[in-house]
Amino acid sequence: MRFEHLGFSPDLVDYQQAWDHQRAVHAQVVAGELPDTVLLLEHAAVYTAGKRTEPHERPLDGTPVIDVDRGGKITWHGPGQLVGYPIVRLPSPVDVVAHVRRLEEMMIGVCRDLGVRTDRVEGRSGVWVLGDGERPDRKIGAIGIRVSHDVTMHGFALNCDCDLGWADVVIPCGIADAGVTSLSRELGRDVPVAEVLSLVIAHLEDVLDPVHTTA
């Protein structure tokens, strides 16, 4: 398993630049020219829309949106959010849901290590802090993937210390009856990406290495 760090604050990575690089790495993994690779980074602020995004879920204020070829709906990437693109060959028969569950398990483990209890929500991908009667379920980690030639693209985004105001101008992930949160908000202290990075790598190795060795 190969890890490539594309850039972190203050050296934020333009989304289009990262997407172009991701596609180039994907082609090399498909061709057997590179081993399974995980790209890790922080993006400059951007909204991206997956294939299932509805018109009413887009920003109403004219904020630009990049349409991408992953699953899922509209979301945001930007400073304070750790984004990972695992470009890995899946074993046959290809099980996309199992790959999503592995990425969820990774983020659940990272949050647990930091003292935040998270879970899955039936029918909704990603990782959630469950509601407590006063507050609704809150998404802390999002997932959107694509598989081409048995190799995955796109991946996960874990909110560390990002500004959550981005969710005020869209319906995040197309879910109107839930909120978004971050590690910093849940813990009541600043949790920068730099603090989370090594935990993410460790948990990715735990969940992806078995796939890497059997594919």
Side-chain angles (χ1 to χ4, degrees):
M1 184 70 62
R2 171 177 172 266
F3 289 89
E4 184 176 347
H5 296 183
L6 293 190
F8 300 97
S9 184
D11 300 317
L12 302 170
V13 182
D14 173 75
Y15 187 86
Q16 187 66 53
Q17 175 187 346
W19 193 12
D20 290 344
H21 183 65
Q22 182 186 172
R23 285 182 286 196
V25 171
H26 180 271
Q28 290 175 287
V29 173
V30 168
E33 298 168 357
L34 279 179
D36 289 350
T37 297
V38 181
L39 308 179
L40 295 166
L41 64 146
E42 277 178 87
H43 278 300
V46 64
Y47 288 97
T48 70
K51 292 181 289 186
R52 296 192 300 111
T53 303
E54 300 290 340
H56 72 277
E57 294 165 347
R58 293 172 178 267
L60 301 178
D61 62 357
T63 300
V65 176
I66 297 177
D67 290 283
V68 294
D69 58 356
R70 61 165 170 79
K73 297 201 173 192
I74 195 165
T75 193
W76 172 92
H77 299 306
Q81 182 189 72
L82 178 54
V83 173
Y85 298 129
I87 304 171
V88 298
R89 187 179 302 277
L90 298 181
S92 294
V94 169
D95 189 337
V96 177
V97 174
H99 181 63
V100 170
R101 295 291 173 264
R102 285 189 287 268
L103 297 184
E104 289 172 345
E105 185 61 33
M106 175 274 295
M107 289 192 285
I108 289 170
V110 170
C111 292
R112 181 176 60 243
D113 289 350
L114 291 165
V116 177
R117 181 175 178 177
T118 57
D119 211 335
R120 297 178 174 91
V121 172
E122 183 69 28
R124 293 176 171 177
S125 69
V127 173
W128 299 77
V129 178
L130 299 184
D132 54 11
E134 295 183 2
R135 294 180 295 175
D137 294 344
R138 305 174 300 284
K139 180 177 272 193
I140 196 168
I143 295 173
I145 66 168
R146 177 174 182 251
V147 179
S148 175
H149 302 287
D150 296 343
V151 176
T152 63
M153 295 183 69
H154 302 288
F156 67 88
L158 180 60
N159 296 335
C160 299
D161 61 346
C162 50
D163 180 357
L164 298 174
W166 65 267
D168 294 339
V169 297
V170 297
I171 301 176
C173 302
I175 300 171
D177 61 345
V180 294
T181 191
S182 66
L183 289 165
S184 295
R185 175 167 291 185
E186 295 301 321
L187 290 171
R189 67 174 181 85
D190 189 33
V191 184
V193 167
E195 180 180 343
V196 181
L197 183 59
S198 62
L199 293 174
V200 165
I201 291 173
H203 281 278
L204 278 171
E205 289 177 331
D206 285 344
V207 300
L208 293 181
D209 267 354
V211 179
H212 172 71
T213 56
T214 59

